[in-house]
Amino acid sequence: MDHTVFSGILFCVSFLVTFLVTPLLARVNKRLGVMGPDVHKVDKPKIPEMCGLAVTLGLISSAIIATVALQVEARPIVAFVLCISIAAAVGIADDLGPLSSRMKPALTTLAAVPIVLLGTYSPYMAIPFLGTTRLTIIYPILVIVAIAVLANAINMMNPFNGAMSGTCSVLSLAMIVYLLLLGRSTEMILPSALLGSLLAFHWYNKYPAKVFSGNAGDLSVGAAIGALVVMGRIEVPMLIAMIPHITNAFYLLSSVGGLRERREMPHRPTRLLEDGRIQATEDGKAPITLSRLILAEGALRESEIVNIMIAMTIASSLLGLLTLLLMRP
């Protein structure tokens, strides 16, 4: 079967699995008391946490089908499944723990280990205006750092309903387009599955959210994107596509002086108004975030902020596409 057609099939499988599993996880978490307040709502409703694991399960289901039905090489599939599973496990520990601000990113680096040990990467990296550069020694180190950084950057980009699922759906679609243009139909299979899972999850996570992804879902999705970028050899265009996420992480970390968890920050970047709109705080000690920059012109509703974040990701993904076209021989 043509790999492009099979990518569409896996998109549907992943969408269906995630769509069916998400409400089941919500009921289980509600029964277990794994709930979190929706702090950007006036009445602060309790929402089931860790439901982003449905995305992980959708991806694993699709990966198994790809290996059995399409008989693609098992090694990259195994590496990918182990990568997202380790990231999900770290997220679960943080959701239930929680982990310290240094322990979480340190443990997240373990998610990249299967990619390196199973050799599912290429040390030949295409760099604009320089051509293909061989990074045999340093590239495995870059893989470990990059996947951990991207996983935590995605985690930091999820303060509002649908922010993670919406922006990462755009990034998944960008990966598919980039790989399609490069003629790498085999590498399109897993990004297509990721897009299906994220769109299904977004149905429940969009404003007003019925479920939260939790650190388990955020880190798993971030690790999945990082792994697919490395295995698909689309590092540079995806780095451009992820400018909003990287910018948010950079400003946040630099403004608080290093790694800090949200619960460790007494000063908040935004505040909720009585009419339900969100406003940037004037507190000089509050961290600088992408949402705070978006709100610099005035208060907005949560859904409006997320729509701007998604639009920014679409714009940066188009810049990534332009970069890819300029890089092609």
Side-chain angles (χ1 to χ4, degrees):
M1 184 184 294
D2 182 76
H3 288 182
T4 304
V5 174
F6 198 79
S7 295
I9 294 174
L10 286 191
F11 168 90
C12 296
V13 169
S14 197
F15 182 96
L16 184 61
V17 171
T18 302
F19 192 81
L20 295 176
V21 170
T22 299
L24 295 178
L25 281 177
R27 286 196 289 270
V28 170
N29 290 342
K30 188 178 295 186
R31 193 176 304 120
L32 295 175
V34 184
M35 308 281 285
D38 195 340
V39 297
H40 295 115
K41 305 292 188 301
V42 175
D43 56 347
K44 303 291 189 296
K46 293 281 187 174
I47 306 295
E49 289 270 16
M50 291 202 309
C51 294
L53 288 173
V55 176
T56 310
L57 293 174
L59 285 173
I60 292 174
S61 301
S62 295
I64 293 172
I65 292 174
T67 305
V68 175
L70 196 58
Q71 295 183 339
V72 297
E73 185 183 357
R75 191 161 47 95
I77 298 292
V78 171
F80 177 75
V81 169
L82 288 175
C83 175
I84 64 174
S85 298
I86 292 171
V90 174
I92 291 172
D94 191 40
D95 284 326
L96 300 179
L99 300 174
S100 70
S101 58
R102 296 186 184 276
M103 182 62 70
K104 184 170 73 171
L107 289 176
T108 308
T109 61
L110 297 176
V113 172
I115 305 294
V116 175
L117 290 184
L118 293 176
T120 55
Y121 65 90
S122 171
Y124 297 93
M125 183 174 174
I127 301 177
F129 310 113
L130 295 179
T132 301
T133 306
R134 183 177 179 180
L135 304 170
T136 307
I137 297 175
I138 195 174
Y139 194 78
I141 300 173
L142 293 177
V143 169
I144 293 174
V145 173
I147 290 180
V149 168
L150 292 182
N152 284 280
I154 295 298
N155 188 213
M156 294 177 191
M157 189 74 164
N158 195 21
F160 305 112
N161 294 175
M164 184 281 287
S165 55
T167 59
C168 288
S169 292
V170 174
L171 293 177
S172 300
L173 180 58
M175 281 193 284
I176 294 170
V177 173
Y178 299 165
L179 291 168
L180 182 63
L181 289 175
L182 290 170
R184 299 173 188 165
S185 58
T186 303
E187 285 89 344
M188 285 171 48
I189 292 172
L190 291 177
S192 298
L194 178 60
L195 177 60
S197 284
L198 285 169
L199 289 177
F201 184 73
H202 188 67
W203 176 263
Y204 299 102
N205 184 235
K206 66 182 179 180
Y207 180 90
K210 300 178 182 66
V211 299
F212 283 160
S213 174
N215 293 307
D218 292 351
L219 292 179
S220 180
V221 170
I225 291 174
L228 294 174
V229 167
V230 169
M231 292 193 294
R233 292 165 288 152
I234 47 175
E235 299 92 341
V236 173
M238 281 303 296
L239 184 66
I240 303 298
M242 292 190 69
I243 284 177
H245 300 76
I246 295 170
T247 300
N248 179 67
F250 173 78
Y251 276 121
L252 176 60
L253 295 177
S254 61
S255 64
V256 299
L259 296 169
R260 299 281 294 277
E261 287 292 304
R262 290 191 188 103
R263 55 183 173 272
E264 298 173 348
M265 300 177 193
H267 305 277
R268 308 306 301 169
T270 61
R271 66 188 186 93
L272 184 66
L273 302 178
E274 293 182 358
D275 62 1
R277 291 182 302 156
I278 300 170
Q279 185 180 62
T281 181
E282 297 179 358
D283 187 349
K285 296 181 179 180
I288 300 173
T289 62
L290 184 62
S291 58
R292 189 178 178 187
L293 295 176
I294 291 173
L295 293 168
E297 295 296 322
L300 294 171
R301 299 202 174 274
E302 184 175 5
S303 57
E304 294 174 325
I305 300 171
V306 173
N307 287 339
I308 292 174
M309 288 180 169
I310 292 174
M312 292 175 70
T313 307
I314 293 173
S316 59
S317 296
L318 291 174
L319 287 176
L321 175 61
L322 178 60
T323 303
L324 178 67
L325 294 176
L326 292 174
M327 290 170 57
R328 295 180 70 184

